[in-house]
Structure formats: structure tokens, C-alpha cells
Amino acid sequence: MPNQTYSMDYPVSWEEIHRNARVLALRLLDKGPWKGLIVITRGGLVPAAVIARELNIRLIDTVCVASYKADENDDATASVQGDIELIKSVEGDGEGMLLIDDLVDTGKTARYVREMLPKAHFATIYAKPAGVAVVDTFITEVSQDTWIRFPWDMEYTFSTPLAERDD
């Protein structure tokens, strides 16, 4: 798959993730009852913790997949999606379960996991146009050319005051 060009940057704070995960839990509350959560790792882990708390769900399992890798220049902001590597699956077809991820982007990973768990209710915080049809419930749609910067992928660093910058 060719490298996707991202022309927009969308940094997300811990507070925003928490708030949106709670809103997602609120939308999912009346769609239950739920037997448990199945979380797509790693991105779905943080939203799933909040959702599990808000919906009082204690049964949590994971589907572990990897598909995004840094580009040849090792630039994480230019990640490319390659073949999906299934590291760990779950049993069953997902009936009565919530399937949670942070984001559906191209829909490639989502379709792969959806085939494994066709009866699960798939919920994400963010959805891009190419993947929106794969999920059942989401909170925020962002453009396909937007790179979402999650707080667990960033660290705080010093920022030079604008008046002192050369650029």
C-alpha cells in the first residue's frame, strides 16, 4: 500500500480521549446489555478502560493485530499500513460483545477483525471516511488526510517562544 499523505494534524489530549470515551460509553449504554469487551490492541486499550468502567464491564479480552509500521525513514508520522499480522485472536463470533478501537482509518484492520467477530458491536472514538461503514458506533469523523496524534504517542517537550524563533 502506498504511503498515505497527511495534510492535517489533529493532536488529541488525554482529557479529550477521556471525554470522548465517556460519550461513546453513553451511546453504548442503551444498546446493551453487553457480555464484555473485545479490544483491538494497542490503540483500543485506553478507550476500553474508560468504557469498561462506565458500563461496569469486567470481562475484557483482546484481539492483537499489527499493521502500521514506520516508513523507510523511520518517521512515525509517515506510517504505512502493510499486511495485517494476527498476534492473538479470540474465540466465538462476538455475539453480545463490544469491539473497541480508538480509530478506524482505511478500514483494512477493522474489516479483518470484523470478519473474525461478525456479531460484535464495533465502536470507535474516531472514524475516517474510508472506514466509517465498518463501525457501528463512533463519536468523531475526521478527514482521511488527517493524522491523529494520540497522547500515548507524544511526549511533552520545551517549545521555543514564538518571538525567539528563526523561522
Side-chain angles (χ1 to χ4, degrees), residues 1 9 17 31 45 49 53 99 114 130:
M1 178 178 191
D9 203 39
I17 284 289
K31 297 179 187 294
L45 289 168
R53 181 204 182 267
L99 179 60
R114 191 75 186 222

Side-chain angles (χ1 to χ4, degrees), residues 41-151:
T41 66
R42 292 175 306 209
L45 289 168
V46 172
V50 175
I51 292 166
R53 181 204 182 267
E54 296 301 332
L55 299 182
N56 200 23
I57 294 174
R58 298 200 183 262
L59 176 62
I60 303 171
D61 203 347
T62 58
V63 170
C64 305
V65 294
S67 64
Y68 281 92
K69 297 176 181 29
D71 75 354
E72 333 42 80
N73 300 321
D74 199 32
D75 179 2
T77 62
S79 293
V80 293
Q81 189 173 33
D83 292 333
I84 295 174
E85 176 188 358
L86 178 63
I87 301 163
K88 178 193 167 290
S89 186
V90 295
E91 292 185 20
D93 59 9
E95 186 168 3
M97 302 293 281
L98 277 171
L99 179 60
I100 303 293
D101 205 354
D102 56 351
L103 160 74
V104 61
D105 191 332
T106 64
K108 182 177 178 180
T109 302
R111 279 187 286 281
Y112 180 86
V113 176
R114 191 75 186 222
E115 286 179 18
M116 294 170 33
L117 301 162
K119 293 186 178 179
H121 184 94
F122 199 171
T124 64
I125 293 179
Y126 301 100
K128 294 186 180 181
V132 75
V134 184
V135 297
D136 299 306
T137 304
F138 67 93
I139 298 303
T140 304
E141 186 170 350
V142 295
S143 65
Q144 200 67 43
D145 63 345
T146 298
W147 182 260
I148 300 175
R149 293 187 185 273
F150 290 103

